[in-house]
Amino acid sequence: MKSLSIKIIGGFIFLFSGALMSQDFQGKAYYQSKTTMDMSNFGNNQMSEQQKKMIAERMKSMLEKTFILSFNRTESIYKEEEKLAAPGAGGGRWGGMMGSFAAGAQYKNVKDQQLIQDQEFFGKQFLIKDSIPQLEWKMESESKQIGQYLCFKATAVKKVDEMDFTNMRRRNRGNQQNESEKSNDTTKSTNLMDEIEVPKEILVTAWYTPQIPVNQGPGEYWGLPGLILEVNSGRTTILCSKIEINPSDKTEIKAPSKGKVVTKTEYDDIVKEKMEEMQEMYGGRGRGSRR
């Protein structure tokens, strides 16, 4: 009965939303994205607490971003809001590595089921072309207000890309005895990449509003009967802070076109190869390389 009442309420909202669906309809949604990352358990034998704190502070600006979603009835462009970098930003090896994954504009076409990501990776420009990821949304009974919009909850289980470093966690190293043995192993690599893993699946919770009846949302998220205003996915929270309907300064929504065209699988293979190269490079500089 609860799901039926949600559908009825949604139907009434759609009736009052006809004005939004004019021929030249366009909207802009501003999102605050924040990813939390626990650095306390990384590199226990290699970094002091002060070093961990310094890296965490420098990475904070990289993990807290503002994005703008420009959308019409079938297409959208999602890109980071341009701003000056904070002085001293970088974070050493970690900051340099993560800064090399510079994501540009992301284009979604829900009618043609197409996603195109403008992606820079270690100085090379790529166009990742693939179909839009499909999530099997479960419509929940809860609702809440986000700003002036009535939102409904939906959940889905998402398979995580193994190259998704926003969901990285410390690898389970086993019991204290094994830890002690490993700490005495002089051949152990000092590459921090050896200490992390990415979960295979995560729960995604989204809040969407039928008051803006477009099949869009931030990033790769879409597929609900209304604009997605909030997403909680693993360690990342994306929250809409402002919406403009039919703004005076409309954005041209078109797919990015510069860069080497690759599929998502091909791009992941390129990233894996580079990571293996870096692991060999930094792994040979540990204590085990000195005789």
Side-chain angles (χ1 to χ4, degrees), residues 201-266:
E201 294 181 338
I202 55 174
L203 177 67
V204 177
T205 300
W207 295 88
Y208 66 95
T209 175
Q211 288 176 259
I212 305 178
V214 294
N215 200 3
Q216 292 285 357
E220 66 195 82
Y221 301 104
W222 71 289
L224 289 168
L227 181 66
I228 298 173
L229 299 191
E230 181 179 335
V231 174
N232 295 284
S233 174
R235 295 180 179 272
T236 299
T237 297
I238 307 172
L239 179 62
C240 183
S241 58
K242 184 174 70 171
I243 296 175
E244 299 175 355
I245 299 299
N246 289 324
S248 55
D249 56 334
K250 291 188 176 181
T251 301
E252 184 181 9
I253 300 177
K254 65 177 184 179
S257 57
K258 294 182 180 179
K260 180 181 179 181
V261 177
V262 293
T263 64
K264 186 66 171 64
T265 301
E266 291 170 339

Side-chain angles (χ1 to χ4, degrees), residues 135-150:
L135 289 178
E136 294 184 8
W137 292 108
K138 178 184 178 183
M139 315 303 275
E140 306 286 358
S141 60
E142 293 100 316
S143 65
K144 70 175 180 177
Q145 200 80 12
I146 298 180
Q148 67 186 71
Y149 297 96
L150 176 62

Side-chain angles (χ1 to χ4, degrees), residues 33-81:
S33 176
K34 181 177 181 179
T35 300
T36 59
M37 189 170 293
D38 183 9
M39 294 295 297
S40 61
N41 291 324
F42 287 88
N44 285 332
N45 299 323
Q46 302 148 27
M47 292 189 295
S48 67
E49 291 302 316
Q50 183 64 28
Q51 286 174 317
K52 294 175 189 175
K53 184 177 180 181
M54 182 177 63
I55 290 176
E57 284 298 316
R58 290 183 176 179
M59 290 181 67
K60 182 178 179 181
S61 62
M62 300 171 59
L63 299 174
E64 297 182 7
K65 297 178 180 291
T66 301
F67 292 88
I68 302 175
L69 178 72
S70 300
F71 58 89
N72 56 35
R73 286 178 292 179
T74 59
E75 301 170 288
S76 68
I77 286 285
Y78 185 68
K79 61 181 179 181
E80 184 179 354
E81 185 177 42

